[in-house]
Amino acid sequence: MATAAASSSSSSSSFVIRTPCSSANIGPGFDVIGLALSLYLELKVTIDASKRASTHPLNCVVTYDDLSGSTEKISLDPEVNLITRVALYVLRCNDQRAFPVETHVHIVNPIPLGRGLGSSGTAVVAGVMLGNEVGRLGLSKERLLDYCLMIERHPDNVAASLFGGFVGTYLNVLKPEDVARKEIPLSEVLPTPAGGIDTGRRPPEPPLGIGHYRRFPWAKEIKAITIIPDFVVPTAEARKVLPMMYTREDVVFNLQRAVLLPAALGSSPPDADTIYLAMQDRVHQPWRQVLIPGLTEVLQSVTPSTQPGLLGICLSGAGPTILALATERFTEIADCILARFASYNINCQWKLLEPAGDGATATWN
Ligand SMILES: Nc1ncnc2c1ncn2[C@@H]1O[C@H](COP(=O)(O)OP(=O)(O)OP(=O)(O)O)[C@@H](O)[C@H]1O
Ligand SMILES: N[C@@H](CCO)C(=O)O
């Protein structure tokens, strides 16, 4: 992460935050495994210190360039926008009540919303990076992960977007007082509107070391085909369809594959039989088929033997995007999955992405 010192003496300073999107689970690693991918949310931030006061709420102007093709309208009100509210949470935990006068945050977003490419986790990571930079707080990425986990409470997406690469994540067993702090309602962490009822109180600060990650190797030959259906599956809905209890058989099935997955995807040259097997899941995909017409057929019928070049296939995050890992013949594989969805009257776009090794970065001009 670049430091904030460089431009502090001039009247105007600027920096860019780039945050990769992510694909979570990769089959059996529900809420555990994440992969950062080369589609980036960008924040272009300018702070005009020549102004003495601001007429804007929280001293902040938000503009938005939508490259995502989503129909949802993103709020430009800094008290409502997810990215600026998250930044404000970080600032207020560190005794800064608002953005510096006068901050302009220009958001450029190519990540489709609610499709399983971690758009919300990416926005949360961008928000904590923003708070850290405008507040010149110097927090480490490990500490920023704690802030992310107060908002997005499963670590797979946010750890991938923050640290980059292919990661395994886990949450610590916290002390009882820290559990209470971490499980505080989201409405108290991110009140809406953010500045409307500014009581001057500090929001609940994250306990130290809520979550951790371990980076796995990734075989350089493997690319990610993402097939993105043209409908939204909100993650909250996709979590409600999951059962509270699983059979021992299904848990063991997933554990066996999740343990194999990092070795399979890190071995070069990649072995399609091992990867295909290691990407099977019984914990979330079977239950989510009620929300995604054609899901079971796509996952069962598109295999390395029907599609040369394919290594493995799974639901990306909570869906509806499909993640197909492959070494070649990307267009043929994508066309085959597009045709399967078309038979259910579902249109899709597709993108060929690569692992994003760097994670979130802040670069001062
Ligand atoms: N750049 C953004 N700016 C503001 N809000 C955003 C942004 N990106 C996502 N969001 C919010 O997050 C919501 C989508 O989150 P959700 O968790 O349902 O899906 P996802 O993160 O895209 O998918 P998944 O978690 O399965 O990978 C959007 O509806 C929007 O409210
Ligand atoms: N692990 C999460 C990722 C989506 O945010 C889920 O599958 O619900």
Side-chain angles (χ1 to χ4, degrees), residues 22-25 41 43 64 72-75 80-84 107-109 111-124 126 152 154 156-157 232-238 288 316-320:
S22 65
S23 179
N25 307 326
L41 174 69
L43 308 184
Y64 185 73
E72 182 181 331
K73 285 274 161 278
I74 293 297
S75 175
V80 177
N81 181 278
L82 178 61
I83 296 170
T84 43
I107 303 166
V108 183
N109 182 31
I111 306 169
L113 308 180
R115 307 291 175 88
L117 286 170
S119 69
S120 59
T122 310
V124 168
E152 179 105 344
H154 48 89
D156 41 1
N157 291 112
V232 167
V233 173
T235 302
E237 298 303 314
R288 288 173 164 169
S316 179

Side-chain angles (χ1 to χ4, degrees), residues 144-334:
L144 292 180
L145 180 61
D146 291 331
Y147 282 88
C148 291
L149 289 170
M150 292 294 283
I151 301 151
E152 179 105 344
R153 295 183 176 192
H154 48 89
D156 41 1
N157 291 112
V158 287
S161 286
L162 185 58
F163 297 104
F166 176 39
V167 297
T169 63
Y170 61 93
L171 298 179
N172 264 343
V173 177
L174 297 174
K175 290 183 277 183
E177 61 271 27
D178 285 344
V179 171
R181 197 140 50 105
K182 182 187 167 277
E183 287 178 357
I184 208 136
L186 194 55
S187 56
E188 289 182 38
V189 179
L190 294 185
T192 324
I197 320 160
D198 185 359
T199 57
R201 273 187 308 170
R202 261 190 180 194
E205 222 181 314
L208 274 176
I210 301 172
H212 300 272
Y213 80 106
R214 176 63 76 95
R215 193 159 173 163
F216 302 133
W218 182 268
K220 60 185 182 316
E221 301 90 337
I222 307 177
K223 312 267 186 270
I225 308 167
T226 55
I227 294 96
I228 309 163
D230 67 355
F231 65 93
V232 167
V233 173
T235 302
E237 298 303 314
R239 293 176 82 81
K240 279 189 203 147
V241 299
L242 304 182
M244 292 301 292
M245 313 281 277
Y246 291 92
T247 63
R248 184 194 301 184
E249 195 189 352
D250 286 348
V251 171
V252 171
F253 179 96
N254 266 52
L255 284 172
Q256 289 171 337
R257 279 143 193 84
V259 163
L260 188 59
L261 190 65
L265 292 174
S267 300
S268 192
D271 177 59
D273 289 341
T274 313
I275 292 173
Y276 185 77
L277 184 148
M279 286 174 68
Q280 303 299 307
D281 159 70
R282 288 189 188 165
V283 164
H284 70 106
Q285 293 177 172
W287 311 95
R288 288 173 164 169
Q289 61 179 307
V290 293
L291 301 173
I292 306 165
L295 174 64
T296 305
E297 190 202 322
V298 167
L299 294 180
Q300 288 178 357
S301 65
V302 183
T303 70
S305 47
T306 66
Q307 293 300 314
L310 180 75
L311 300 170
I313 184 164
C314 64
L315 192 61
S316 179
T321 291
I322 299 290
L323 177 74
L325 299 179
T327 51
E328 58 180 345
R329 302 192 187 212
F330 309 117
T331 306
E332 285 106 307
I333 294 167

Side-chain angles (χ1 to χ4, degrees), residues 52-175:
R52 296 210 160 251
S54 172
T55 53
H56 298 284
L58 303 168
N59 305 328
C60 183
V61 176
V62 178
T63 51
Y64 185 73
D65 195 356
D66 184 6
L67 309 181
S68 73
S70 302
T71 49
E72 182 181 331
K73 285 274 161 278
I74 293 297
S75 175
L76 302 185
D77 180 345
E79 307 212 13
V80 177
N81 181 278
L82 178 61
I83 296 170
T84 43
R85 278 163 71 214
V86 169
L88 198 68
Y89 166 58
V90 176
L91 288 171
R92 288 189 174 168
C93 283
N94 291 278
D95 299 321
Q96 297 185 34
R97 302 302 309 166
F99 287 86
V101 177
E102 167 107 306
T103 303
H104 175 197
V105 181
H106 180 60
I107 303 166
V108 183
N109 182 31
I111 306 169
L113 308 180
R115 307 291 175 88
L117 286 170
S119 69
S120 59
T122 310
V124 168
V125 168
V128 298
M129 295 283 290
L130 177 63
N132 194 34
E133 293 301 318
V134 293
R136 305 191 180 220
L137 302 176
L139 299 171
S140 68
K141 276 195 174 177
E142 282 68 20
R143 185 63 181 139
L144 292 180
L145 180 61
D146 291 331
Y147 282 88
C148 291
L149 289 170
M150 292 294 283
I151 301 151
E152 179 105 344
R153 295 183 176 192
H154 48 89
D156 41 1
N157 291 112
V158 287
S161 286
L162 185 58
F163 297 104
F166 176 39
V167 297
T169 63
Y170 61 93
L171 298 179
N172 264 343
V173 177
L174 297 174
K175 290 183 277 183

